[in-house]
């Protein structure tokens, strides 16, 4: 670095309110602070106020000037955005209670500036393109609480703005608590909030580091990371990649690739992608060693360029693991799409590195066979066998690298590589005989697969109407969770019957909603319903004369034999 840096210490409120405008680059990560981080900030500030501390230090923020009084935020957006959200929540509380002049003062000083001659306001802080529309609507312009809740309900759990809306709601609630704790008089509550604003303005201190170029900033990040910069592993990798670009044209190139990549990862955890991608290419690496390993291996510009292009392509494939109907799978068979859906249901993240390698290296037929192999592995080893996740992860990581390097080129070869952890037929069948399943979706999936196998040897190979997509299927406990008086003979002779057998596969069957009214009725009454069912494995329950531990054992042993045949890789 060849330039002197400007790094004064300033109150975070004064930083926001000094007339400057701050913006988050489009390629930077989304707002991500959760309730824990925000609660800690509130708690620390309240404690600092209560004990009369002169200042509360929240760390370094790094900015790049691009126009007069305008700055790009290179590090610090979480703290700066949270401060703005808190100030906005205070403004809202004051305005609702007719402290309008004070609310207006907070708005104009910290949140937005009205453009002369218009009714438009220019936000003092602009978040990235994912977050800013919500930030503008609910923080800058203000909105009723019900509008924030309505927007939040419309977002999936991985939406890039979910954390932002949750932060807005939490800050409003927390500000309300602070004011209410001051007493029943609203004036007392307002005074408490005035004190909080003053403390944020002058005494919640940051070091404002202004760097002359972006390249300088990435060098600063690497130098200061060990001293506590609030960066995820993905942030560190991004800063390293950008810093290694050097020239402006190279920086523009990797920025463009990075922006496209983060767009692909909108609905998944980006850090999980990074670990999966790295594992698929270089093997299993602990999360704490991920950045050091990346930094060591990806250093020269050619490495940076190749890695960035590979990450972009892989990010699209990784996101597609969440959606069987993603365009990535449109040229593959229906069996591939079914396997993608199944592996997601089973929560089989350990096999993701293998798939990420194989999508590029295997032809469509071998990929189809590989995905089936992975389903067999997950069902045999994890779902039924309850094998250790760490061992599974190590085996999958080793295989992923061999697939990527071209050492394993077929599903059969992959099966040989996994033979050490794949339970054999006898082990699997024995584990299935005693397996319980409390997750109803997984239990329904297993029973549906077993039903198809049971029907495959019959002439009516097509499943009954109850199993058609239009039918509504639910999971039924034959011995109910809360047995009524009709079960007294079974439960009195075997007091542990329910506790030991309720969730065993032998006690579970599939039923349509039409037949769900049987509830906790006695077994003899349930038999009539089972006898009418078109689902073969459910219908067969009606052949038993009673339903005790012995019958559950017998039925589960039968299901275990079917499972051995269903989840088999040849």
């Amino acid at each position: 670095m060849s330039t002197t840096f400007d790094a004064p210490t300033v109150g975070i409120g004064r930083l926001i309110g000094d007339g400057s405008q701050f913006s988050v680059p489009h390629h930077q990560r989304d707002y991500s602070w959760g309730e824990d981080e925000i609660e800690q900030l509130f708690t620390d500030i309240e404690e600092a106020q209560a004990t009369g501390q002169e200042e509360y230090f929240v760390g370094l923020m790094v900015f790049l000037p691009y126009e007069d009084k305008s700055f790009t935020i290179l590090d610090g957006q979480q703290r700066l955005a949270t401060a703005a959200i808190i100030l906005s929540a205070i403004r809202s509380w004051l305005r609702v209670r007719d402290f309008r002049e004070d609310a207006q003062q907070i708005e104009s000083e910290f949140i937005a500036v009205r453009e002369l001659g218009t009714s438009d306001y220019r936000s003092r802080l602009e978040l990235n393109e994912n977050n800013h529309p919500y930030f503008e609507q609910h923080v800058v312009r203000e909105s009723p609480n019900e509008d924030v809740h309505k927007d939040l309900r419309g977002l999936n759990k991985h939406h890039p703005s979910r954390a932002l809306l949750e932060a807005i709601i939490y800050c409003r609630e927390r500000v309300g608590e602070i004011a209410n704790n001051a007493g029943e008089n609203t004036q007392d509550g307002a005074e408490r909030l005035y004190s909080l604003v003053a403390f944020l303005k002058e005494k919640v201190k940051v070091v404002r580091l202004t760097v002359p170029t972006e390249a300088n900033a990435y060098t600063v990040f690497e130098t200061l990371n060990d001293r506590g910069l609030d960066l995820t592993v993905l942030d560190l990798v991004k800063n390293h990649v950008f810093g290694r670009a050097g020239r402006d044209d190279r920086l523009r190139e990797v920025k463009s690739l990075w922006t496209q990549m983060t767009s692909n990862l909108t609905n998944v955890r980006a850090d999980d992608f990074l670990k999966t991608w790295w594992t698929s290419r270089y093997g299993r690496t602990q999360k704490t060693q991920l950045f050091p390993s990346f930094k060591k291996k990806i250093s020269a510009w050619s490495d940076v360029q190749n890695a960035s292009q590979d990450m972009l392509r892989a990010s699209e494939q990784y996101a597609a693991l969440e959606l069987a109907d993603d365009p990535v799978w449109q040229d593959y068979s229906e069996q591939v799409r079914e396997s993608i859906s199944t592996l997601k249901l089973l929560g089989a993240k350990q096999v993701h590195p293998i798939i990420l390698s194989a999508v590029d290296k295997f032809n469509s037929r071998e990929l189809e066979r590989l995905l089936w192999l992975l389903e067999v592995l997950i069902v045999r080893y994890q779902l039924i066998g309850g094998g250790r996740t760490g061992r599974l992860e190590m085996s999958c990581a080793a295989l992923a690298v061999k697939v990527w390097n071209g050492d394993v080129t077929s599903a059969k070869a992959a099966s040989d590589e996994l033979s050490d952890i794949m339970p054999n037929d006898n082990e699997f069948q024995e584990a299935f005989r005693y397996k319980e399943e409390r997750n109803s979706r997984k239990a329904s999936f297993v029973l549906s697969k077993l039903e198809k196998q049971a029907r495959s040897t019959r002439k009516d190979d097509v499943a009954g109407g109850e199993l058609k997509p239009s039918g509504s299927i639910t999971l039924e406990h034959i011995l109910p969770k809360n047995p009524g008086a009709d079960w007294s003979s079974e439960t009195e002779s075997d007091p542990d019957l329910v506790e030991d057998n309720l969730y065993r596969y032998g006690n579970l069957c599939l039923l349509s909603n039409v037949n769900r009214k049987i509830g906790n009725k006695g077994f003899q009454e349930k038999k009539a319903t089972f006898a009418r069912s078109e689902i073969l494995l459910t219908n067969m329950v009606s052949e038993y004369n009673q339903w005790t531990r012995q019958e559950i054992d017998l039925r589960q042993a039968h299901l275990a034999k079917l499972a051995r045949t269903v989840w088999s890789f040849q």
Side-chain angles (χ1 to χ4, degrees):
M1 278 179 281
S2 59
T3 307
T4 301
F5 297 116
D6 178 29
T9 300
V10 62
I12 195 169
R14 186 168 291 282
L15 173 66
I16 299 173
D18 73 349
S20 299
Q21 185 173 17
F22 301 94
S23 60
V24 175
H26 293 321
H27 60 265
Q28 273 206 24
R29 65 168 168 154
D30 304 307
Y31 182 87
S32 62
W33 268 22
E35 184 175 316
D36 288 346
E37 291 92 346
I38 302 172
E39 169 62 20
Q40 189 63 57
L41 179 62
F42 270 109
T43 301
D44 289 348
I45 290 174
E46 286 185 307
E47 183 177 337
Q49 285 184 286
T51 57
Q53 296 179 33
E54 286 302 311
E55 61 182 33
Y56 168 64
F57 184 62
V58 294
L60 173 73
M61 294 185 182
V62 185
F63 303 94
L64 175 70
Y66 65 92
E67 289 179 2
D68 182 44
K69 302 288 281 184
S70 296
F71 298 88
T72 298
I73 306 170
L74 299 180
D75 183 71
Q77 72 143 320
Q78 307 297 329
R79 287 160 288 168
L80 209 57
T82 303
I85 293 169
I86 293 172
L87 289 163
S88 173
I90 294 172
R91 174 198 60 180
S92 297
W93 189 95
L94 292 170
R95 181 166 288 160
V96 166
R97 289 156 183 82
D98 288 331
F99 295 94
R100 295 186 178 275
E101 290 185 2
D102 296 322
Q104 184 59 43
Q105 182 175 338
I106 290 173
E107 180 175 283
S108 60
E109 186 171 354
F110 302 112
I111 299 171
V113 179
R114 187 174 68 84
E115 299 288 356
L116 190 63
T118 74
S119 59
D120 293 333
Y121 279 79
R122 176 172 57 86
S123 174
R124 293 189 180 278
L125 173 62
E126 182 176 346
L127 301 189
N128 70 17
E129 59 187 2
N130 290 329
N131 293 158
H132 194 69
Y134 291 103
F135 186 80
E136 177 80 21
Q137 179 181 355
H138 299 302
V139 176
V140 178
R141 295 186 179 276
E142 200 174 18
S143 61
N145 288 339
E146 53 266 28
D147 288 357
V148 187
H149 283 281
K150 180 180 178 182
D151 279 350
L152 180 60
R153 287 193 297 270
L155 305 184
N156 66 47
K157 66 179 181 179
H158 293 301
H159 192 281
S161 290
R162 186 172 187 86
L164 175 65
L165 293 184
E166 289 174 341
I168 293 168
I169 292 169
Y170 179 75
C171 286
R172 290 185 180 188
E173 292 174 349
R174 196 73 175 78
V175 163
E177 290 174 5
I178 292 171
N180 292 338
N181 289 339
E184 295 183 2
N185 191 317
T186 56
Q187 183 63 46
D188 293 336
E191 293 291 345
R192 177 72 65 85
L193 296 181
Y194 299 153
S195 175
L196 176 56
V197 171
F199 198 84
L200 282 167
K201 181 176 181 179
E202 301 291 355
K203 295 186 178 182
V204 177
K205 299 284 191 179
V206 301
V207 173
R208 172 180 174 164
L209 175 62
T210 303
V211 295
T213 69
E214 215 165 346
N216 291 140
Y218 302 128
T219 305
V220 168
F221 289 151
E222 290 204 19
T223 303
L224 297 182
N225 176 54
D226 290 337
R227 304 175 100 186
L229 277 182
D230 179 25
L231 300 177
T232 66
V233 177
L234 196 67
D235 290 325
L236 295 170
V237 168
K238 178 193 68 177
N239 293 333
H240 174 73
V241 166
F242 288 5
R244 286 293 178 271
R247 303 199 313 251
D248 288 346
D249 58 332
R250 291 176 173 177
L251 185 57
R252 284 194 298 272
E253 178 184 342
V254 292
K255 274 188 176 182
S256 175
L257 294 172
W258 196 272
T259 299
Q260 294 175 66
M261 182 189 76
T262 52
S263 177
N264 289 340
L265 299 173
T266 295
N267 294 318
V268 296
R269 290 176 58 87
D271 271 2
D272 288 349
F273 157 71
L274 181 64
K275 188 174 189 298
T276 301
W277 170 77
W278 186 262
T279 300
S280 70
R281 275 44 170 173
Y282 302 105
R284 186 171 183 255
T285 305
Q286 294 293 336
K287 189 172 182 179
T288 55
Q289 294 303 308
L290 191 53
F291 175 62
S293 299
F294 186 100
K295 183 179 177 181
K296 182 178 180 180
K297 199 163 191 73
I298 312 297
S299 181
W301 164 244
S302 59
D303 298 329
V304 167
Q305 189 178 38
N306 292 336
S308 298
Q309 292 170 349
D310 186 31
M311 288 172 71
L312 172 58
R313 183 173 64 256
S315 67
E316 184 178 6
Q317 298 161 351
Y318 181 82
L321 296 177
E322 296 291 312
L323 293 169
D325 59 354
D326 190 280
V328 164
W329 311 118
Q330 65 183 1
D331 294 329
Y332 290 93
S333 67
E334 180 61 32
Q335 180 59 51
V336 165
R337 290 188 286 275
E338 182 178 334
S339 292
I340 292 296
S341 180
T342 295
L343 290 171
K344 174 175 170 52
L345 168 66
L346 297 177
K349 291 185 178 181
Q350 293 81 9
V351 304
H352 285 175
I354 301 175
I355 303 174
L356 218 55
S357 293
V359 169
D360 276 349
K361 300 296 183 176
F362 280 18
N363 62 40
S364 58
R365 173 56 182 158
E366 285 303 321
L367 181 64
E368 178 182 310
R369 282 173 47 77
L370 176 71
L371 291 174
W372 172 247
L373 168 66
L374 297 180
E375 178 181 331
V376 172
L377 173 68
I378 292 300
V379 170
R380 287 196 172 209
Y381 178 85
Q382 195 171 45
L383 181 65
I384 303 300
R388 290 189 299 108
T389 301
R391 187 182 176 204
L392 177 64
E393 185 178 334
M394 287 189 285
S395 296
C396 290
L399 174 57
V401 175
K402 289 183 178 180
V403 171
W404 181 252
N405 290 336
D407 299 323
V408 170
T409 58
S410 68
K412 175 61 173 64
S415 176
D416 293 340
E417 293 291 329
L418 295 171
S419 60
D420 285 348
I421 66 166
M422 180 75 80
N424 62 38
D425 286 349
N426 290 336
E427 291 169 339
F428 176 52
Q429 183 173 334
E430 187 67 12
F432 197 102
R433 284 184 59 199
Y434 302 100
K435 176 64 180 176
E436 294 182 347
E437 183 54 71
R438 294 173 182 268
N439 184 304
S440 59
R441 291 186 65 210
K442 291 179 181 178
S444 296
F445 156 76
V446 168
L447 291 172
S448 294
K449 286 271 194 173
L450 296 179
E451 174 70 16
K452 291 177 182 178
Q453 178 62 30
R455 304 185 75 90
S456 65
T457 57
R458 297 164 59 99
K459 292 182 179 180
D460 56 339
D461 192 17
V462 179
E466 287 179 87
L467 280 179
K468 292 180 180 178
S470 59
S472 183
I473 299 296
T474 55
L475 189 68
E476 173 73 11
H477 296 261
I478 302 168
L479 168 68
K481 184 176 182 179
N482 297 302
D486 291 340
W487 287 92
S488 59
S489 61
E490 290 88 349
T491 56
E492 288 175 4
S493 62
D494 187 351
D496 296 326
L497 181 65
V498 175
E499 182 178 349
D500 291 348
N501 295 281
L502 180 64
Y503 295 101
R504 290 184 63 198
Y505 275 106
N507 189 53
L508 303 176
C509 67
L510 299 176
L511 273 182
S512 69
N513 274 341
V514 175
N515 295 320
R516 277 286 288 167
K517 297 179 180 179
I518 58 177
N520 63 351
K521 293 179 179 178
F523 180 69
Q524 298 306 319
E525 193 168 350
K526 283 190 170 189
K527 279 182 61 173
T529 299
F530 297 148
R532 292 193 300 270
S533 176
E534 294 177 335
I535 301 173
L536 181 60
L537 293 178
T538 301
N539 184 282
M540 291 171 64
V541 177
S542 66
E543 297 173 6
Y544 292 93
N545 293 322
Q546 57 182 354
W547 200 248
T548 68
R549 187 184 297 265
Q550 182 179 357
E551 283 73 32
I552 294 171
D553 285 342
L554 288 171
R555 182 168 183 263
Q556 187 144 342
H558 173 65
L559 297 180
K561 288 181 181 179
L562 289 176
R564 172 177 176 157
T565 304
V566 172
W567 286 286
S568 176
F569 181 81
Q570 302 296 331

